[in-house]
Amino acid sequence: MMNSLVVKDQVERKVTKIGNSLGVTFPKEVLDHLGITHGDEVKFDFKNGSVILRKKKELRLPKGIDEEFLTQMNDMIDEYDETFKSLVDR
């Protein structure tokens, strides 16, 4: 039995143990509202003490750019993030 309570535009769920982690299940109404189905990726945005859940937008890579290249670029940006930010201040 799932613990859920729907009050107007609000849905509440209880945090449950899933293996060594904690998790929350999402009611069908929430998934339908967000257009999320099994296998979709989601994005969490943190703002002012709240978390905003969104369906992750599908990225269409330009011709000639593969996913491995983007992964390497992201790794480089993460590694040199502070350096890049300090260049902005110059």
Side-chain angles (χ1 to χ4, degrees):
M1 180 176 159
M2 292 187 192
N3 295 325
S4 67
L5 173 66
V6 178
V7 181
K8 296 183 183 180
D9 292 328
Q10 183 177 350
V11 177
E12 296 178 2
R13 288 288 191 170
K14 187 174 186 174
V15 176
T16 59
K17 184 127 172 96
I18 302 172
N20 291 329
S21 302
L22 297 177
V24 176
T25 60
F26 294 96
K28 183 179 181 329
E29 297 83 9
V30 171
L31 299 174
D32 289 346
H33 178 76
L34 296 171
I36 296 173
T37 59
H38 181 266
D40 286 343
E41 293 186 34
V42 295
K43 179 180 177 184
F44 297 92
D45 293 322
F46 302 92
K47 293 188 180 179
N48 301 325
S50 294
V51 177
I52 299 169
L53 172 69
R54 295 190 175 126
K55 180 177 180 177
K56 186 174 176 184
K57 292 182 181 178
E58 189 174 318
L59 177 64
R60 295 176 194 232
L61 300 176
K63 187 176 182 178
I65 305 283
D66 66 0
E67 192 171 335
E68 177 63 25
F69 173 78
L70 287 181
T71 300
Q72 290 174 356
M73 289 298 295
N74 280 332
D75 291 346
M76 182 194 68
I77 289 168
D78 288 344
E79 184 176 347
Y80 295 105
D81 187 52
E82 290 303 316
T83 303
F84 293 141
K85 286 178 181 175
S86 68
L87 290 174
V88 171
D89 296 333
R90 290 184 175 187

